[in-house]
Amino acid sequence: MPRFLTRTLASLIAATCLTGTAIADTYPSKPITLLVGYTPGGSVDLVARTVAEELGKRLGQPVVVENAAGAAGTIGAAKAVRAAPDGYTLLLGSGSEISIARLTSPSVKYDGQKDLQPITLVGTQSMVLVGANNVAARNTDELLAYARANPDKLSFASSGVGTPLHLSGELIKQQAKINMEHVPYKGAGPMLTDLLGGQIPLAVLVLSSALPHIKTGKIKVFGVTEAHRAAALPDVPTLAESKGLDGVDMGVWFGLFAPAKTPEAITARLDKEMAEVLKQPAVRDKLTESGLALAGLGPKDFAAFIGKETAKYQKIIQTANIRTD
Amino acid sequence: MELLNNLGIGFATALSLTNILYCFFGVLLGTLIGVLPGLGAVATIAMLLPATFALPPVSALIMLAGIYYGAQYGGSTTAILVNLPGESSSVVTALDGYQMARKGRAGAALTTAAIGSFVAGSLATLLIAMFAAPLAEMALAFGPPEYFSLMVLGLVASVVLAHGSLLKAIAMILVGLLIGLVGTDVSSGFQRFTFEVPEFEEGLSFVAVAMGLFGLGEIVRNLEHERHATGVPQIHRIGRLMPTCEEIRRMIAPIFRGTTLGSLLGILPGGGAMLASFAAYSLEKKLSRTPGEFGCGAIEGVAGPESANNAGAQTSFIPMLTLGIPSNAVMALMAGAMILHGIQPGPTVMTEQPALFWGMITSMWIGNVMLVILNLPLVGLWVRLLTVPYHYLFPVIVVICAIGAFSVSNSVIDIHLMALFGLLGYLFYKLDCEAAPLLLGFILGPMMEEYLRRAMLLSRGDFSVFVTRPISALLLALAAITLALVVLPAFRKTREEAFQDED
């Protein structure tokens, strides 16, 4: 190889490295936008706002939460996919818009696994199978027995077709080989209304929204959907502990993403700072109080996690043939 | 005694200097954004939510609540003065309020709205303090079939909103139902008429549709007159600011009827508060000895709905505070704010955080007092706005409307949508079709469908649930009677006579 070429190559490589460090050195030089695909006050928004403040302090630039709400989180996610990969637009996403949306709806054009770069898995939260107080069954085993004896009696509420809550319900049906009619609602509020009033027998809810009503005994809880018991409800068994539901393991999860092709120097910096953010007692307390089990996985582990979750969703969706086009 | 005790705790909390200040700040901000068309409580509370991080939870909630009912107050101002309903509840206020303004009675209309809102707000607060828990339990008896029947009644009654051709009113309701179809179908998750525009997946924005049809349509219409006539379109005589004795006499009964209706419907977690103002208007028109006046500036048509929507706004806190169930977007945000502060909204709030619970309730009454003090002197100022030449006023209104439409979900499409509905509004005016029934169809249609299909899913396709459940059966019977009254020849005759009087 002629020497000049080697030299040019070497200097080119050096230059690339330099720009790399240069970006990392000056980043961030202006405020960062943290997109959320949901309305303010919701669970994803709460996670975003809790980490945004602390992350901003550590980066020396404000991190501003922007709610691009609608279409089950996909409007916000699509906006993040389209954004310049310069580290100034990030997304706080959840399983719905990252993995599930594309599997159920062909109108979703982006691929959450390819078009977004996972940075940090903030945490996961369990869902719970709950029942109205006028349901006779006292535990999951009795419920399954009732369902088998009365194949057309049970209905379960979820927050809409193709949501993690719906998928959990379908998973329970598939694993236990029982039939329950899916009744979609527009969110936790109306579901709880009908559940408290005994209008619908069962519902799958995110743990945090069901917790106060479980504690006051206004609804009964059958089990949590994750493979391990929830810290907030240590006496409540997992669904997987029941015969016929072994292997049930589903949770909702929240993580930080950047558009694909964001320089590694930037994602590494964000990952490092996020790890610190999640160590802050104030942040930890706030997130655990809202029902989250903190994870703090970095880019590689987070990507692998998403891969496994997506495979799980895909199997449920194919078996139940869920489509929303 | 327990009530006095509780109210004591409440006043002790709400009357602290900090909380009074936050309450004042909340109602002031609420009034301002309410007056600005399209900028609603939802967008404002959403924007302020992160800022409340640093405040003590009681102060934060007192301020946010203040914004909410303050906006209900302010919203009627623009509805009356420039025919711009920024919230669904002020649509009916615009019907007669704006007509009063055109007749030079803007001051009286605004004062009526303020007094009605104050009386309603105070009574509803008392109601929350006394019966919050049992009322919330009662609301739980409403399942999907009951909601569906309630909506049917609402839709049938909405024919009363029209004061022209019955056929045209029904046609407009149907157009509204069709427009309401746009978006994701809750039951199947399928998209309807969204044309692959992600922004349409949640349905068309109410603010864009309402402001386009009413506000922009009205502006186009005024500008048309402006070219014909002199430089100024309509000289709104300001007239007396205060209502006459006759007017005060006429508003008393509607205020109390509106308050009762609003308080009851507001408790229902399924959009009942929104129905309250429509229901109050229909009721007043039915009871009136001169129904022909409605739509041409009847003071009862302002007093009833204004009281109802404020009472409804107040009692919609009941399901959130006692059951932890948010009944509308604002309540969802309030619940979010509570969670941000580590308080899980629900039945435990009342027992575990008595200072917060009662502090918030008493602050609502204090806030209502502040609103009256704030608003009555301002009436003169608002009315003076009308003397600004229209060609200076309308560009400002259009710009604020655009900002308002945009702010709901930060989407530009909503501005285009508003412009489109502005043209439609003008077209409807030319064709003598009224926009109010359309809007009610647009709001109720999707909800009716959702509840109908949920009821059907739960009953496994058995239609008899609607008549075997007593509340549902009663509501459907009322709807049938209303329909019969409209269709039966005897009633039609009196209705037509009533409208001939007015011509």
Side-chain angles (χ1 to χ4, degrees):
Chain A
M1 197 188 275
R3 254 177 81 194
F4 80 93
L5 201 61
T6 332
R7 269 198 200 155
T8 326
L9 262 179
S11 52
L12 261 178
I13 291 166
T16 329
C17 294
L18 265 178
T19 23
T21 38
I23 289 172
D25 281 348
T26 56
Y27 175 82
S29 58
K30 57 176 185 184
I32 296 168
T33 302
L34 179 57
L35 287 165
V36 171
Y38 301 88
T39 45
S43 55
V44 184
D45 181 70
L46 279 176
V47 175
R49 293 196 189 275
T50 312
V51 297
E53 202 188 339
E54 197 62 34
L55 185 64
K57 269 188 217 153
R58 304 200 65 86
L59 289 172
Q61 285 287 347
V63 175
V64 184
V65 176
E66 185 185 319
N67 301 87
T74 55
I75 289 182
K79 207 169 170 185
V81 167
R82 286 194 308 266
D86 55 8
Y88 291 103
T89 309
L90 305 172
L91 170 76
L92 204 117
S94 72
S96 273
E97 65 271 24
I98 305 294
S99 304
I100 301 174
R102 202 176 69 96
L103 299 173
T104 56
S105 160
S107 64
V108 173
K109 298 284 187 281
Y110 64 87
D111 180 345
Q113 277 172 284
K114 285 200 193 110
D115 299 331
L116 289 169
Q117 165 66 45
I119 298 172
T120 311
L121 174 65
V122 175
T124 62
Q125 178 166 190
S126 188
M127 293 169 267
V128 278
L129 178 65
V130 291
N133 274 343
N134 58 6
V135 172
R138 280 166 302 173
N139 53 45
T140 312
D141 292 326
E142 287 185 16
L143 185 71
L144 294 183
Y146 177 83
R148 292 202 177 95
N150 306 277
D152 193 34
K153 280 277 167 66
L154 288 178
S155 305
F156 77 98
S158 91
S159 55
V161 180
T163 55
L165 302 177
H166 176 203
L167 296 194
S168 295
E170 292 296 333
L171 179 65
I172 295 168
K173 279 165 68 178
Q174 290 169 14
Q175 292 284 62
K177 301 194 176 58
I178 55 168
N179 185 37
M180 301 188 288
E181 188 72 42
H182 174 227
V183 183
Y185 282 73
K186 269 185 168 170
M191 282 162 77
L192 279 166
T193 315
D194 276 4
L195 206 58
L196 291 173
Q199 312 284 353
I200 187 160
L202 300 171
V204 182
L205 282 166
V206 173
L207 177 61
S208 55
S209 43
L211 201 57
H213 305 282
I214 294 173
K215 281 190 172 157
T216 51
K218 301 249 170 171
I219 55 179
K220 53 173 75 173
V221 55
F222 291 105
V224 298
T225 59
E226 280 188 331
H228 52 86
R229 293 191 177 197
L233 288 173
D235 299 330
V236 172
T238 66
L239 287 174
E241 286 172 40
S242 285
K243 220 176 138 243
L245 284 176
D246 29 305
V248 166
D249 182 14
M250 286 271 284
V252 287
W253 46 267
F254 310 94
L256 184 68
F257 294 83
K261 301 201 185 79
T262 302
E264 212 194 317
I266 291 178
T267 54
R269 170 87 195 276
L270 287 169
D271 175 42
K272 196 183 102 202
E273 300 299 353
M274 275 301 283
E276 290 302 314
V277 168
L278 295 180
K279 276 182 199 153
Q280 301 303 312
V283 173
R284 296 188 72 91
D285 288 351
K286 214 159 217 172
L287 291 178
T288 357
E289 260 170 37
S290 60
L292 234 61
L294 294 184
L297 297 186
K300 281 217 177 62
D301 296 332
F302 188 14
F305 173 84
I306 297 173
K308 271 197 287 186
E309 289 290 300
T310 309
K312 239 189 274 180
Y313 298 144
Q314 193 152 24
K315 201 171 150 234
I316 302 170
I317 289 167
Q318 272 171 359
T319 316
N321 192 21
I322 302 168
R323 295 187 57 78
T324 63
D325 40 331
Chain B
M1 270 306 97
E2 201 193 335
L3 176 72
L4 287 183
N5 218 350
N6 288 332
L7 288 179
I9 302 175
F11 278 113
T13 317
L15 285 175
S16 78
L17 191 62
T18 343
N19 288 339
I20 287 187
L21 275 176
Y22 279 114
C23 185
F24 178 72
F25 183 65
V27 295
L28 181 68
L29 194 66
T31 309
L32 288 179
I33 56 140
V35 168
L36 295 175
L39 286 177
V42 179
T44 314
I45 294 180
M47 279 185 264
L48 275 179
L49 205 53
T52 63
F53 255 155
L55 302 181
V58 192
S59 311
L61 288 170
I62 285 178
M63 183 180 79
L64 294 177
I67 294 176
Y68 175 49
Y69 53 78
Q72 303 282 337
Y73 251 78
S76 48
T77 308
T78 10
I80 291 170
L81 294 182
V82 281
N83 200 26
L84 267 169
E87 313 245 351
S88 49
S89 51
S90 40
V91 170
V92 283
T93 310
L95 294 180
D96 278 282
Y98 182 63
Q99 294 307 323
M100 282 182 74
R102 292 185 68 171
K103 289 182 180 162
R105 301 296 297 141
L110 288 172
T111 312
T112 308
I115 297 172
S117 297
F118 174 71
V119 173
S122 306
L123 289 178
T125 304
L126 200 64
L127 198 71
I128 299 180
M130 292 199 300
F131 304 116
L135 280 175
E137 294 294 329
M138 217 173 70
L140 288 180
F142 266 67
E146 283 78 16
Y147 277 111
F148 171 74
S149 305
L150 179 69
M151 309 266 157
V152 171
L153 177 60
L155 212 53
V156 171
S158 73
V159 174
V160 185
L161 287 179
H163 67 288
S165 146
L166 196 59
L167 193 66
K168 280 182 181 168
I170 291 170
M172 291 301 274
I173 293 176
L174 291 179
V175 174
L177 289 176
L178 286 176
I179 296 172
L181 281 181
V182 178
T184 308
D185 168 29
V186 182
S187 306
S188 66
F190 280 35
Q191 318 222 327
R192 297 189 293 210
F193 308 111
T194 52
F195 305 102
E196 302 222 344
V197 179
E199 283 81 359
F200 288 172
E201 285 186 23
E202 314 266 296
L204 302 184
S205 151
F206 168 80
V207 169
V209 173
M211 290 203 308
L213 281 179
F214 277 82
L216 293 196
E218 179 69 23
I219 287 173
V220 177
R221 179 181 144 188
N222 282 339
L223 288 177
E224 184 186 64
H225 286 295
E226 188 173 44
R227 205 184 299 154
H228 284 304
T230 56
V232 187
Q234 319 125 358
I235 304 147
H236 293 276
R237 283 168 295 117
I238 294 179
R240 274 166 55 108
L241 289 187
M242 293 313 280
T244 59
C245 286
E246 166 68 7
E247 281 167 333
I248 292 176
R249 198 186 52 75
R250 281 173 62 186
M251 74 168 85
I252 293 173
I255 284 177
F256 284 100
R257 281 194 292 261
T259 305
T260 316
L261 207 56
S263 305
L264 289 177
L265 289 172
I267 299 161
L268 298 177
M274 202 171 50
L275 270 178
S277 57
F278 286 100
Y281 188 85
S282 309
L283 184 72
E284 289 313 320
K285 194 168 171 181
K286 272 264 169 293
L287 292 178
S288 170
R289 254 170 278 144
T290 51
E293 255 184 59
F294 279 74
C296 313
I299 198 161
E300 294 91 343
V302 177
E306 267 306 305
S307 317
N309 86 45
N310 214 47
Q314 221 86 313
T315 53
S316 65
F317 276 87
I318 291 182
M320 203 269 286
L321 287 174
T322 57
L323 300 171
I325 295 168
S327 54
N328 55 35
V330 173
M331 285 305 126
L333 286 171
M334 297 284 294
M338 287 171 89
I339 297 170
L340 272 180
H341 287 283
I343 302 159
Q344 189 66 52
T348 49
V349 176
M350 215 190 301
T351 46
E352 283 173 14
Q353 310 258 2
L356 178 118
F357 182 86
W358 294 104
M360 221 171 115
I361 287 175
T362 44
S363 87
M364 290 184 203
W365 186 76
I366 297 169
N368 272 296
V369 177
M370 286 185 190
L371 278 170
V372 170
I373 300 172
L374 200 67
N375 274 283
L376 282 183
L378 282 181
V379 166
L381 182 75
W382 297 133
V383 173
R384 214 155 281 280
L385 258 185
L386 292 177
T387 55
V388 176
Y390 204 65
H391 51 271
Y392 293 127
L393 197 58
F394 91 84
V396 179
I397 299 177
V398 172
V399 169
I400 298 175
C401 283
I403 296 173
F406 177 80
S407 72
V408 175
S409 53
N410 296 341
S411 105
V412 185
I413 286 190
D414 287 343
I415 301 177
H416 299 285
L417 207 61
M418 184 178 71
L420 179 72
F421 276 95
L423 288 177
L424 273 178
Y426 177 67
L427 188 72
F428 288 148
Y429 166 71
K430 284 281 157 192
L431 296 173
D432 262 335
C433 295
E434 285 162 86
L438 181 149
L439 226 43
L440 196 63
F442 171 67
I443 298 169
L444 287 183
M447 294 172 71
M448 249 172 92
E449 187 200 352
E450 189 186 330
Y451 287 114
L452 170 68
R453 292 176 66 179
R454 188 169 297 145
M456 288 288 94
L457 273 173
L458 286 169
S459 74
R460 302 292 188 269
D462 181 4
F463 278 98
S464 68
V465 281
F466 294 110
V467 287
T468 49
R469 295 171 61 126
I471 301 177
S472 166
L474 178 72
L475 290 167
L476 282 181
L478 284 175
I481 295 170
T482 315
L483 195 65
L485 285 179
V486 176
V487 180
L488 285 180
F491 176 77
R492 264 191 32 206
K493 218 170 132 210
T494 48
R495 186 174 180 277
E496 274 153 20
E497 272 165 13
F499 285 120
Q500 262 151 23
D501 288 347
E502 132 209 354
D503 291 333

